[in-house]
Amino acid sequence: MKTMGEGLKKYQGLIYGGLLALTLMVCLYKGYALWLGFLGVLVIICGSLLLQEKTYRPIVNDIVQGIFSVKRIYLMIILIGFNIALWISSGVVPSMIFYGFEVIGHVHFLLFTFLMTALMALFMGTGLGTLSTVGVALFTLGSVMTLPGPLVLGFILSGAYVADRLSPLSALVQFTCETNRIAYKDYARKVAKAMLPAFILTLVMCFILGGKQAVSGQGLVAQIVQYKTDLGEHFFLHPLLMLVPLLVLVEVVRSGNSQRALYLGTGLGMFLTLFLQHQSLWQVLRYMLVGYRADQASGIVKTLEIGGGIGMLEVIVIIMLGMALSSLYEKRNWFDPLINQLIHSAKTPQQLVRRTALLSIGLDALTCDQTIGIVIPSKTCLKPFNKQGQSSVDLAQVIANSGTAFSPLMPWNVNAIIILAITGIGAVDYAPYMILNWSTLILIIIFQVIFKNKTGRLSTKGSEFKPIQTLDKS
């Protein structure tokens, strides 16, 4: 009996992990908020630890330490919510959509769809936000052209989820940088380089799978005219407005200070909403708080009713609870059985990359959310990466192109469930066409095998592990 008790204690971390997966599955099935599942399991773990340790102070200290270890990310997530709402209310996002429709009749539709959503995602910083705005419009146009829904949606999502891996305005990107203690500029350079072959492959597949579908016709023209009319009635539109996200992106790259860039985006959005769209200060503050809301909105304008600080609170709560759970696990070495078996036994950098990717994907699959799939590999795989001659930037790149990229491909993941609710198409149907997401990791592994001698030890020059004080003051 003693041996059984010791065995259960040794593997209690895995038991709690299974409980978390089951709880989150129930939340998804019943339509409950995911943070309730995280909170419920956290309460159970704390109760169990209190019985074991007979004192609450270490438990509370570990939870507080975990939550505050990424404290700057909470403000940044709120600023991201402000930016999304204000870039819509100021006419920036509507202008990008409007002038995008200007050229849609003169280009290859699937190619345009992929590039348009990728560009919007880079500037909006949210995959689901991009889908629910310009993505819905393009999906509707694809239906008018009688293109297969899963095909069009797959390329829309390939572009939209560029946000979660590469956009400086993405909460997930900033969270990945924060947990790995790296600057966005170093992260973006590494991730973009890894994504480039898959990006080219996706462009090629646009032409092959898109065939010679016509981009004209009365139905399509009428739908585009209606979209443009709706946008023109609600916003003042101008091509120069599209310079705003470009300025913010340039500021991020120039200074490496993501928080300063978000302040810049918020300030420009407020100014343009006040003086160009002629909204009151009270209305601007309302947009910042609850997101953009339009009077008597319909059609494409209705899809733009997103953003706002309050809308980001659930993301913050999930990250807080995830960090609390991660801290409890880390302090009690509950990760050790899994990490020793999977990560520390890796003999080569190639093995380490593959196993870290598997760990991140597996955790996302178990928890139905990207948070744990970022936190745990970031905290537990850094030493093995350093030992194999790789850096924290290399680790962040692997996480971004595995767990983060694969999340919307899992039918039970919260991303896939929301996509199903928006479009009526499930992950099993659109996943084969979400080429940029699944092909990036596959191509990384293939190139590792082909150029094993060259990539056996990745250069860490200029991308060593950086203590937090060396990061940008964001």
Side-chain angles (χ1 to χ4, degrees), residues 241-263:
L241 287 173
M242 293 185 285
L243 292 176
V244 172
L246 184 61
L247 288 173
V248 172
L249 189 61
V250 168
E251 173 61 21
V252 173
V253 175
R254 183 194 67 81
S255 67
N257 191 321
S258 302
Q259 189 167 319
R260 184 189 303 169
L262 288 169
Y263 283 131

Side-chain angles (χ1 to χ4, degrees), residues 73-139:
I73 197 66
Y74 307 133
L75 173 61
M76 295 189 70
I77 291 174
I78 294 294
L79 288 172
I80 288 168
F82 290 168
N83 270 261
I84 294 171
L86 291 173
W87 284 12
I88 293 171
S89 66
S90 64
V92 172
V93 171
S95 291
M96 294 178 71
I97 297 173
F98 182 91
Y99 291 103
F101 287 151
E102 287 282 330
V103 301
I104 198 170
H106 310 286
V107 296
H108 189 284
F109 182 76
L110 276 187
L111 178 64
F112 174 84
T113 294
F114 170 60
L115 292 178
M116 178 70 171
T117 51
L119 181 66
M120 289 288 294
L122 192 64
F123 292 139
M124 287 188 69
T126 163
L128 288 173
T130 303
L131 169 65
S132 62
T133 53
V134 67
V136 168
L138 291 169
F139 182 73

Side-chain angles (χ1 to χ4, degrees), residues 325-345:
L325 287 170
S326 175
S327 182
L328 291 174
Y329 265 70
E330 183 181 12
K331 298 297 183 182
R332 286 152 187 82
N333 300 316
W334 286 346
F335 292 131
D336 287 358
L338 178 62
I339 300 304
N340 289 335
Q341 184 69 28
L342 189 63
I343 302 300
H344 290 296
S345 60

Side-chain angles (χ1 to χ4, degrees), residues 361-414:
I361 294 171
L363 290 169
D364 279 1
L366 285 173
T367 61
C368 312
D369 186 77
Q370 294 104 314
T371 306
I372 298 297
I374 294 171
V375 174
I376 293 179
S378 297
K379 287 181 173 291
T380 59
C381 297
L382 179 59
K383 287 183 179 179
F385 263 70
N386 289 161
K387 186 178 179 181
Q388 294 279 11
Q390 301 187 63
S391 71
S392 52
V393 182
D394 296 308
L395 173 57
Q397 177 271 125
V398 173
I399 294 170
N401 287 316
S402 56
T404 303
F406 276 64
S407 290
L409 301 172
M410 305 170 188
W412 55 88
N413 187 274
V414 65

Side-chain angles (χ1 to χ4, degrees), residues 381-452:
C381 297
L382 179 59
K383 287 183 179 179
F385 263 70
N386 289 161
K387 186 178 179 181
Q388 294 279 11
Q390 301 187 63
S391 71
S392 52
V393 182
D394 296 308
L395 173 57
Q397 177 271 125
V398 173
I399 294 170
N401 287 316
S402 56
T404 303
F406 276 64
S407 290
L409 301 172
M410 305 170 188
W412 55 88
N413 187 274
V414 65
N415 288 268
I417 291 173
I418 294 174
I419 292 167
L420 175 63
I422 293 173
T423 66
I425 298 177
V428 174
D429 296 315
Y430 67 69
Y433 305 108
M434 205 170 170
I435 297 169
L436 182 61
N437 285 58
W438 56 256
S439 67
T440 304
L441 180 61
I442 292 174
L443 289 174
I444 288 172
I445 294 172
I446 290 174
F447 289 147
Q448 277 192 328
V449 173
I450 295 175
F451 304 107
K452 185 174 181 179

Side-chain angles (χ1 to χ4, degrees), residues 24-89:
L24 293 178
M25 287 285 188
V26 171
C27 287
L28 288 172
Y29 180 74
K30 294 291 187 180
Y32 302 145
L34 281 184
W35 66 267
L36 291 172
F38 279 96
L39 180 61
V41 174
L42 180 62
V43 170
I44 292 173
I45 292 176
C46 289
S48 175
L49 288 175
L50 190 60
L51 292 175
Q52 295 177 38
E53 299 177 5
K54 309 300 182 184
T55 176
Y56 68 90
R57 291 187 183 277
I59 302 171
V60 173
N61 288 339
D62 292 341
I63 290 174
V64 171
Q65 184 178 344
I67 290 174
F68 281 93
S69 65
V70 292
K71 57 182 180 295
R72 73 169 188 167
I73 197 66
Y74 307 133
L75 173 61
M76 295 189 70
I77 291 174
I78 294 294
L79 288 172
I80 288 168
F82 290 168
N83 270 261
I84 294 171
L86 291 173
W87 284 12
I88 293 171
S89 66

